Amino acid sequence: MNDILVLGGTQFFGKRLVEKLLLEGKKVTIATRGLTKDPFGDKVERLIIDRENIKSQRAAFSGRKWDVVYDQSCFSPQEAKATAEALDGKVAHYIFTSSMAVYDFGTLHKEGDFKPEQFSFTYRPRNAYKGYEGYQEAKRAGEAVLFDYPGFQSSSARFPIVIGTDDYTNRLKFHVEKIRNGQPIGIHEPEARYSFILSDEAADFLYRVGETGLTGALNPGSEGDISLSEFLSKIEEITGNSNR
């Protein structure tokens, strides 16, 4: 792969992905709403698109072709469909940043535990998908759209919880600060188990999927998993505080 389109790529591990691509000498175009500044200067080309407006995407992608597209910004099947149609004939390999949320809660999931080709859904905009269940449905439906689309080869990277010093959501920091300050944390399922991956590892994984041409559903992540209860105990041990 040489010519790369990244949908998003201005925050968190999407930014790390662009940095990796540039480091490897790839020609990179990023397509965003243009609202978030990026640090790439003249090293990348920029396109302005609205994921919920197919006309804006068709206009931005007109007359262009890429070897690989990385989709970091899709949060509804409606967006997946619009972008797939706008990129029809313009890209060979579509890599979708999905989520472990496509699976029901549990441990040691295999890729075949969720089959997007068997998932029934309704096309709705992103603001119709609320909370965790909405996010779960949106990612499931996004995969279903892309794997069914005949215009390109598709991959979905079903990431677990991505953490790193560059995580703008501060998910890990939130729990650390709560425990450090002796404040309560509301948890409904303390024995639910989760897996993690570092942001630089997530970016490297995406890069390797594009470079190797690997298709289908993929489960990246660090080895093993941990329950919320164990996770909080580790934070308490490191900080020397406990509020349980």
Side-chain angles (χ1 to χ4, degrees):
M1 64 173 184
N2 293 304
D3 292 342
I4 315 299
L5 173 64
V6 181
L7 307 176
T10 59
Q11 291 183 324
F12 202 19
F13 64 97
K15 187 187 298 183
R16 286 187 178 261
L17 171 63
V18 174
E19 292 170 348
K20 173 71 173 179
L21 291 166
L22 294 173
L23 183 65
E24 297 294 334
K26 310 302 181 182
K27 182 180 178 182
V28 180
T29 301
I30 60 174
T32 70
R33 294 176 297 170
L35 302 179
T36 302
K37 292 183 179 180
D38 67 76
F40 308 122
D42 60 3
K43 296 178 182 179
V44 302
E45 182 180 356
R46 295 171 183 80
L47 301 175
I48 304 299
I49 63 169
D50 179 351
R51 290 301 303 263
E52 298 187 275
N53 185 333
I54 191 172
K55 291 182 179 179
S56 81
Q57 296 179 72
R58 283 177 172 161
F61 303 150
S62 178
R64 304 292 302 273
K65 283 192 175 184
W66 294 274
D67 299 316
V68 173
V69 56
Y70 290 98
D71 189 347
Q72 295 283 108
S73 62
C74 179
F75 293 98
S76 79
Q78 186 170 297
E79 293 171 19
K81 182 174 184 291
T83 302
E85 292 178 355
L87 286 173
D88 195 346
K90 302 180 186 300
V91 65
H93 187 184
Y94 197 117
I95 302 173
F96 177 50
T97 294
S98 187
S99 169
M100 280 285 182
V102 300
Y103 305 114
D104 292 324
F105 280 115
T107 61
L108 303 177
H109 279 295
K110 304 294 185 183
E111 285 85 350
D113 291 349
F114 170 67
K115 297 179 174 62
E117 64 273 12
Q118 298 177 2
F119 184 66
S120 299
F121 63 93
T122 301
Y123 284 100
R124 296 186 293 167
R126 68 168 58 189
N127 62 11
Y129 297 93
K130 306 294 186 182
Y132 180 82
E133 291 183 354
Y135 175 78
Q136 181 181 54
E137 181 183 351
K139 288 298 185 181
R140 287 173 169 174
E143 284 197 18
V145 171
L146 295 171
F147 278 105
D148 186 57
Y149 200 78
F152 40 67
Q153 296 293 311
S154 295
S155 306
S156 66
R158 295 172 175 172
F159 283 110
I161 299 172
V162 183
I163 59 174
T165 56
D166 50 347
D167 182 3
Y168 66 94
T169 69
N170 290 318
R171 286 172 291 189
L172 178 57
K173 182 180 179 181
F174 168 84
H175 291 84
V176 172
E177 292 300 321
K178 286 286 188 180
I179 291 174
R180 179 177 288 162
N181 296 326
Q183 297 173 322
I185 302 174
I187 296 177
H188 297 293
E189 298 288 343
E191 298 311 313
R193 303 189 72 82
Y194 296 87
S195 54
F196 295 82
I197 190 170
L198 294 173
S199 55
D200 57 343
E201 294 174 334
D204 184 64
F205 180 85
L206 288 170
Y207 174 81
R208 287 186 286 122
V209 172
E211 189 74 353
T212 61
L214 192 62
T215 59
L218 305 164
N219 285 347
S222 301
E223 186 176 358
D225 56 26
I226 189 171
S227 71
L228 288 176
S229 179
E230 293 167 342
F231 174 68
L232 295 179
S233 293
K234 286 185 178 294
I235 298 175
E236 290 170 347
E237 179 182 347
I238 293 170
T239 62
N241 288 353
S242 174
N243 62 351
R244 292 189 291 169

